[in-house]
């Protein structure tokens, strides 16, 4: 009887054999439901054979093989294999991590046939309707009409995207004779939104990449903020679509999706696009995944997990904001979607484009050493838009009142008078307000993590931003009984209060995790900003990414200094990237931009380089430092991370693991140390660093070492290898 060899979602790097009478070689890549211990689980068939090492009496039979969808394509299985080998993570777990939840269940998936897609446009009667005829309180109707007036045609998903209620309105409007519909033809790449003439720099970039043709190349598209990298992506995608192939676009954050999705849908309105982000439910994700797999979806836009989407005819991969740390998964399988994207591009012999204004030092170094091809965009795309003027406010001279210095208040005032928008950016690291007892210095700690609880003034709660634990404000200091305990440090809410006091008439909008949690919250915020219903925006890193705010002229940056003297060797690189990005929000269209950084260290090389917009100067300085110190990109690193309830258990485990290691000369093994966040969610954490200037030596060593570590007794310890770690 045939034996199927199945990869299961269990922390053991082996395949499991089962009898399956109806199995054949064609079933490789299909899902099988099998008994595992006392449970019933679903895995992927990776081999079908006549033989097995398992004694017959122990061999179990599979319950069933699911055949309702096609097997996973071989190329996707190759990607999973590579991922498992490179990150030293069990193959079954890698595969299951990469599949939609619906495919991990012990059930066949049921597929509803998709209704035909229609596209809708205004009739001449519809064109006569004015926005003002619709009552202002009818917001969805106003938006729908507005979208029709701008986009000319809309499809069902676009309409649904505006609001679920828009679909109902659409039917009413069809009845009223305002709207006509016609069936979409899926293949034509009709360009609807206005296409700008490329700038000279953009044209060089597009030509170079398209001339590179259908072969593997990693392109570093290194363009200052506002240089029009998106337009370069659009042109490349257009040529890929013209060949009937698919484009995979990876982006860092969910908050970026609506805007970019809008741009793509506007430009390629008839091209089927799926957007795979964490806001989807399981059915939506599966549907998108299947459309990508069948080749029906031509543009796939998604966050890091989308790198595992099966694509039948991939023509290009784009990784926007390639330096963003959210491309690296920070738990379980710690993969880098950017690095896997490069593997996929090589596998498919296609170009991959890494876009950034401030590339990671790894990518920059690869460009300098000609492993990547470097394309620069040095000027802004919009005519007359210049780079913003960046200046420091020395807070040793200009004292803060409630976190805001006089020059910044004055600048805000002027900006308000000129009816321009401004943005106050608060560097969140180390800046969240904590509850402090002024008499004994007590601050409210999280019981489960080595972190302080963050004050949430609005609902009078203390919350841990690592584990989510929350509690009430204490009435008095638990340590000394003092009743005068008050929030210390400027969170977004404190700054909002200070600004409201200074500018009572200004319309102030605070953006943070709390205010963006709701569905559609981002779209509403962006809409409010674009239609100038906001004068001053307050926000954290969420705001720094990729948004285009045409009327923004002033950016104030608070509390960036902390990162200058961090123990994390990547802190400067990150701070620079982040500040460049925030600064890039200012002065994009016809408004000149001005950036004011409050700092105690205005002479620091990082701020000096920032004021000159000189990425290269800073990057060279940092690279020189890294070379001397023996840090990436000059070495390759891996961490053995472990956690347990008691620190002794963790350190003992790491010490045992170190004993098992027989590193060759080229590989350096360090002593176990507690992690930066040494306590998280009630667990003690520590790690052990391994590094080598040779990636090959490092990985050969890791493979052997990994196998030995798995033999250690580790019931009480959770451990994982983190290859190319970003956090310590
Ligand atoms: P980046 O992503 O490089 O920061 P964007 O792609 O957001 O920059 O482009 C910045 C602005 O320039 C956008 O408003 C975009 O519409 C505009 N833009 C891009 N290319 C052109 C062009 N060739 N001509 C005119 N405007 C352009
Ligand atoms: Zn106290
Ligand atoms: Zn906590």
């Amino acid at each position: 009887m045939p034996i199927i060899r199945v990869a299961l979602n269990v922390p053991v790097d082996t395949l499991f054999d089962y009898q399956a009478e109806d199995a054949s070689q064609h079933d490789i890549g299909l899902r099988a439901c099998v008994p595992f211990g006392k449970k019933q689980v679903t895995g992927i068939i990776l081999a079908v054979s006549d033989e097995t090492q398992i004694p017959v009496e122990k061999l179990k039979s599979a319950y069933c093989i699911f055949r309702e969808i096609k097997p996973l394509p071989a190329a996707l299985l190759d990607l999973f294999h590579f991922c498992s080998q490179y990150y030293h993570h069990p193959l079954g777990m890698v595969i299951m991590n990469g599949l939609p939840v619906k495919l991990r269940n012990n059930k066949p998936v049921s597929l509803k046939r998709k209704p035909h897609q229609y596209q809708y446009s205004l009739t001449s009667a519809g064109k006569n309707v004015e926005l003002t005829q619709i009552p202002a309180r009818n917001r969805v109707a106003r938006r729908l009409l507005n979208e029709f007036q701008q986009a000319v045609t809309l499809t069902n998903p676009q309409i649904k995207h505006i609001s679920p209620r828009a679909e109902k309105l659409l039917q009413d409007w069809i009845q009223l004779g305002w709207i006509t519909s016609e069936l979409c033809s899926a293949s034509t790449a009709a360009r609807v939104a206005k296409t700008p003439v490329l700038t000279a720099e953009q044209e060089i970039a597009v030509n170079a990449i398209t001339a590179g043709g259908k072969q593997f190349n990693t392109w570093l598209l290194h363009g200052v903020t506002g240089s029009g990298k998106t337009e370069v992506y659009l042109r490349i995608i257009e040529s890929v679509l013209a060949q009937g192939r698919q484009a995979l676009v990876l982006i860092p954050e969910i908050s970026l999706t609506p805007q970019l999705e809008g741009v793509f849908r506007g430009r390629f309105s008839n091209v089927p696009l799926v957007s795979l982000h964490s806001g989807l439910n399981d059915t939506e994700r599966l549907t998108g995944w299947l459309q990508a797999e069948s080749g029906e979806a031509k543009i796939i836009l998604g966050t890091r997990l989308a790198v595992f989407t099966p694509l039948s005819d991939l023509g290009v991969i784009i990784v926007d904001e390639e330096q963003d740390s959210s491309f690296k998964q920070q738990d379980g399988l710690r993969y880098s979607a950017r690095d896997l994207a490069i593997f996929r591009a090589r596998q498919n012999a296609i170009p991959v484009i890494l876009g950034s204004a401030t590339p990671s030092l790894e990518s920059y170094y690869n460009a300098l050493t000609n492993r990547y091809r470097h394309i620069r965009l040095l000027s802004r795309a919009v005519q007359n838009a210049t780079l913003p003027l960046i200046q420091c406010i020395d807070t040793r001279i200009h004292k803060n009142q409630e976190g805001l210095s006089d020059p910044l208040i004055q600048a805000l005032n002027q900006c308000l008078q000129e009816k321009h928008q401004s943005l106050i950016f608060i560097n969140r690291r180390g800046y969240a307000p904590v509850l402090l007892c002024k008499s004994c210095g007590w601050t409210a700690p999280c019981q489960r993590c080595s972190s302080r609880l963050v004050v949430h003034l609005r609902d009078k709660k203390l919350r841990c931003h690592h584990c989510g634990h929350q509690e009430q404000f204490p009435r008095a200091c638990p340590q000394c009984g003092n009743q005068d305990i008050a929030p210390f440090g400027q969170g977004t809410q404190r700054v909002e209060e200070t600004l409201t006091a200074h500018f009572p008439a200004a319309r102030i909008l605070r953006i943070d995790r709390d205010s963006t949690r709701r569905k559609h919250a981002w779209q509403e915020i962006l809409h409010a900003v674009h239609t100038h219903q906001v004068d001053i925006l307050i926000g954290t890193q969420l705001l720094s990414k990729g948004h285009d705010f045409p009327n923004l002229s002033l950016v104030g940056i608070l509390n960036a200094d902390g990162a200058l003297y961090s123990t994390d060797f990547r802190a400067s690189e990150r701070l620079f990237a982040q500040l460049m990005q925030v600064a890039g929000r200012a002065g994009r269209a016809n408004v000149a931009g001005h950036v004011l950084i409050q700092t105690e260290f205005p002479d620091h090389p990082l701020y000096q380089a920032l004021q000159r917009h000189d990425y290269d100067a800073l990057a060279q300085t940092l690279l020189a430092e890294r070379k001397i110190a023996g840090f990436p990109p000059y070495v390759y690193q891996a961490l053995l991370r472990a956690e347990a309830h008691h620190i002794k258990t963790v350190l003992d485990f790491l010490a045992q693991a170190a004993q098992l290691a027989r590193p060759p000369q080229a590989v350096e093994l360090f002593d176990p140390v507690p992690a930066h966040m040494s306590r998280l969610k009630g667990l003690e954490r520590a790690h052990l660093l391994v590094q080598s200037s040779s990636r090959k030596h490092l990985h050969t060593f890791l493979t052997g070492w990994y196998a030995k570590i798995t033999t250690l007794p580790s019931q009480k310890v959770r451990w994982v290898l983190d290859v190319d770690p970003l956090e310590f």
Side-chain angles (χ1 to χ4, degrees):
M1 188 180 291
I3 308 290
I4 54 173
R5 313 204 64 207
V6 186
L8 297 176
N9 192 16
V10 292
V12 195
D13 201 7
T14 179
L15 299 180
F16 296 87
D17 293 3
Y18 296 90
Q19 286 185 321
E21 53 185 6
D22 58 340
S24 77
Q25 291 297 329
H26 302 292
D27 295 339
I28 292 172
L30 284 179
R31 292 170 303 134
C33 183
V34 297
F36 187 77
K38 293 197 174 103
K39 283 190 300 199
Q40 184 177 344
V41 294
T42 290
I44 302 294
I45 303 174
L46 292 186
V48 180
S49 147
D50 303 328
E51 295 168 15
T52 173
Q53 309 288 343
I54 312 281
V56 191
E57 65 279 9
K58 286 201 173 159
L59 192 66
K60 295 183 187 160
S61 293
Y63 295 121
C64 65
I65 297 176
F66 296 119
R67 299 176 189 281
E68 78 287 12
I69 60 169
K70 283 192 286 183
L72 301 182
L76 186 64
L77 293 178
D78 284 349
L79 176 67
F80 287 136
H81 269 288
F82 170 79
C83 186
S84 160
Q85 273 167 16
Y86 187 82
Y87 293 105
H88 302 274
H89 206 78
L91 180 59
M93 293 179 86
V94 168
I95 296 179
M96 288 321 202
N97 168 77
L99 294 181
V101 172
K102 289 250 168 186
L103 296 183
R104 304 181 213 163
N105 293 343
N106 300 327
K107 280 193 294 204
V109 294
S110 60
L111 302 164
K112 291 189 209 88
R113 260 213 63 73
K114 244 181 39 151
H116 285 296
Q117 254 201 26
Y118 288 90
Q119 64 182 38
Y120 304 91
S121 51
L122 293 172
T123 60
S124 44
K127 283 183 188 145
N128 285 330
V129 183
E130 305 230 350
L131 219 49
T132 47
Q133 283 170 252
I134 297 175
R137 76 188 127 74
N138 207 339
R139 283 178 35 216
V140 175
R142 279 204 165 192
R143 270 191 66 193
L144 183 63
L145 185 62
N146 188 20
E147 296 278 338
F148 269 118
Q149 289 170 346
Q150 311 246 321
V152 186
T153 66
L154 293 176
T155 58
N156 303 79
Q158 289 172 310
I159 289 164
K160 196 169 162 200
H161 202 89
I162 294 170
S163 154
R165 274 196 298 148
E167 289 186 304
K168 164 86 179 55
L169 268 172
L170 184 79
Q171 297 309 322
D172 298 346
W173 290 3
I174 292 172
Q175 297 281 317
L176 285 170
W178 292 2
I179 300 286
T180 67
S181 61
E182 63 179 294
L183 205 57
C184 282
S185 52
S187 59
T188 49
R191 297 210 310 218
V192 176
K194 293 186 290 294
T195 312
V197 179
L198 293 183
T199 64
E201 287 183 329
Q202 284 173 325
E203 193 159 339
I204 292 169
V206 171
N207 288 344
I209 298 170
T210 38
K214 298 180 194 167
Q215 57 174 331
F216 169 66
N217 259 316
T218 308
W219 299 89
L220 180 61
L221 182 62
H222 183 179
V224 298
T225 48
S227 58
K229 292 186 286 294
T230 315
E231 188 59 39
V232 174
Y233 304 152
L234 290 168
R235 298 299 177 99
I236 302 293
I237 292 171
E238 194 185 332
S239 77
V240 164
L241 294 174
Q243 302 158 16
R245 309 180 83 186
Q246 295 167 296
L248 172 64
V249 184
L250 300 178
I251 51 169
E253 279 268 350
I254 178 163
S255 61
L256 276 182
T257 322
Q259 203 176 20
L260 211 58
E261 193 179 332
V263 170
F264 280 63
R265 288 198 194 278
R267 181 64 66 84
F268 306 114
S269 75
N270 287 338
V271 178
L273 177 151
V274 301
S275 173
L276 298 172
H277 51 75
S278 50
L280 298 182
N281 67 33
D282 293 345
T283 307
E284 289 168 332
R285 183 169 281 278
L286 176 67
T287 309
W289 190 93
L290 290 169
Q291 286 169 354
E293 197 271 331
S294 68
E296 184 189 340
K298 294 296 178 196
I299 302 175
I300 293 83
L301 186 65
T303 44
R304 76 176 165 250
L305 191 57
V307 78
F308 295 113
T309 316
L311 295 153
S312 50
D313 201 1
L314 187 56
V316 70
I317 308 179
I318 291 163
V319 184
D320 192 26
E321 306 291 357
E322 66 87 27
Q323 83 291 350
D324 198 289
S325 59
S326 73
F327 285 121
K328 180 105 190 320
Q329 175 143 304
Q330 297 294 4
D331 53 28
L333 169 61
R334 293 174 171 251
Y335 67 98
S336 156
R338 176 197 62 200
D339 297 347
L340 289 179
I342 296 172
F343 171 82
R344 267 194 103 158
R346 184 193 298 274
Q347 181 192 37
N348 285 270
I350 55 165
V352 52
I353 305 171
L354 311 181
S356 180
T358 50
S360 64
L361 285 183
E362 282 82 357
S363 297
Y364 183 66
Y365 181 70
N366 281 332
L368 293 183
T369 51
N370 293 321
R371 244 167 293 181
Y372 296 172
R373 311 212 18 204
H374 204 179
I375 302 182
R376 309 283 306 234
L377 306 175
L378 298 168
S379 49
R380 293 196 146 181
V382 177
Q383 263 192 353
N384 301 329
T386 47
L387 290 170
L389 172 67
I390 303 179
Q391 291 174 313
C392 288
I393 298 173
D394 188 339
T395 49
R396 292 166 308 182
I397 302 170
H398 303 281
K399 289 289 173 233
N400 286 345
Q401 24 170 331
E402 291 288 317
L404 298 169
S405 65
D406 268 345
L408 184 56
I409 298 277
Q410 280 161 23
L412 282 166
N413 194 18
Q414 191 183 347
C415 196
L416 279 170
Q417 284 176 2
E418 287 166 359
K419 305 228 177 317
H420 289 154
Q421 288 171 321
S422 45
L423 162 65
I424 297 294
F425 176 78
I426 305 168
N427 191 39
R428 190 59 157 249
R429 270 170 213 265
Y431 207 64
V434 296
L435 206 58
L436 176 76
C437 168
K438 296 241 166 72
S439 90
C440 78
W442 173 87
T443 55
C446 175
Q447 309 298 337
R448 310 174 62 209
C449 308
S450 53
S451 72
R452 299 196 168 100
L453 294 174
V454 175
V455 173
H456 285 248
L457 275 184
R458 184 86 15 123
D459 46 4
K460 285 242 164 211
K461 286 253 165 62
L462 294 171
R463 240 176 242 137
C464 172
H465 283 195
H466 296 284
C467 72
H469 167 79
Q470 64 177 33
E471 53 188 69
Q472 303 291 337
F473 276 27
R475 273 174 215 286
C477 170
Q479 193 162 285
C480 75
N482 170 24
Q483 301 206 341
D484 178 26
I485 45 177
F488 175 78
Q490 236 70 24
T492 46
Q493 298 181 7
R494 286 294 292 288
V495 171
E496 182 179 18
E497 285 173 8
T498 313
L499 284 173
T500 312
H502 271 286
F503 306 110
R507 294 162 302 174
I508 298 174
L509 181 66
R510 179 174 52 84
I511 304 183
D512 54 23
R513 296 250 174 234
D514 296 338
S515 57
T516 53
R517 214 176 308 256
R518 274 182 311 110
K519 214 174 177 175
H520 301 301
W522 261 108
Q523 278 142 282
E524 284 162 24
I525 289 167
L526 293 177
H527 186 72
V529 175
H530 279 272
T531 52
H532 210 150
Q533 299 168 43
V534 179
D535 299 312
I536 305 177
L537 275 160
I538 307 171
T540 57
Q541 19 275 50
L542 282 177
L543 258 186
S544 63
K545 298 189 178 161
H547 300 289
D548 207 0
F549 296 146
N551 204 26
L552 187 72
S553 74
L554 176 71
V555 174
I557 293 171
L558 309 188
N559 197 61
D561 288 347
L564 295 179
Y565 299 100
S566 165
T567 52
D568 177 353
F569 69 87
R570 283 195 175 85
S572 300
E573 176 187 350
R574 290 205 184 110
L575 178 67
F576 188 80
Q578 192 168 60
L579 296 187
M580 280 282 250
Q581 268 184 349
V582 197
R585 299 307 110 215
R588 289 176 69 100
N590 297 316
V591 186
H594 191 188
V595 179
L596 290 170
I597 305 169
Q598 292 194 166
T599 172
E600 285 184 41
F601 310 98
D603 299 324
H604 192 283
L606 189 142
Y607 293 134
Q608 292 294 321
L610 196 69
Q611 291 180 43
R612 298 194 310 268
H613 297 271
D614 196 348
Y615 169 86
D616 297 79
L618 187 78
Q620 301 283 359
T621 310
L622 294 178
L623 280 176
E625 286 173 15
R626 299 252 187 116
K627 189 168 187 178
I628 292 166
F631 285 138
Y634 298 95
V635 299
Y636 301 95
Q637 298 182 320
L639 281 184
L640 173 61
R641 296 179 181 274
E643 57 185 27
H645 284 290
H646 301 287
I647 188 69
K648 186 169 180 312
T649 322
V650 185
L651 293 174
D652 284 352
F653 174 82
L654 292 175
Q656 284 175 337
Q659 290 232 306
L660 293 176
R662 296 272 173 277
Q665 269 238 307
V667 176
E668 231 180 324
L669 188 79
F670 293 82
D671 288 333
V673 288
H676 179 64
M677 275 289 288
S678 59
R679 210 174 138 74
L680 186 68
K681 302 181 188 179
L683 293 173
E684 302 289 340
R685 314 155 77 224
H687 59 235
L688 196 159
L689 174 66
V690 208
Q691 69 179 36
S692 172
S693 56
S694 150
R695 179 171 264 164
K696 194 161 157 273
H697 279 119
L698 177 67
H699 279 264
T700 311
F701 164 72
L702 287 177
T703 306
W705 191 37
Y706 175 85
K708 290 186 197 158
I709 303 173
T710 54
T711 65
L712 285 175
S714 64
Q715 297 89 333
K716 290 182 182 154
V717 187
R718 276 223 315 245
W719 63 274
V720 69
L721 274 180
D722 185 352
V723 177
D724 307 327
L726 286 183
E727 285 176 7
F728 286 82

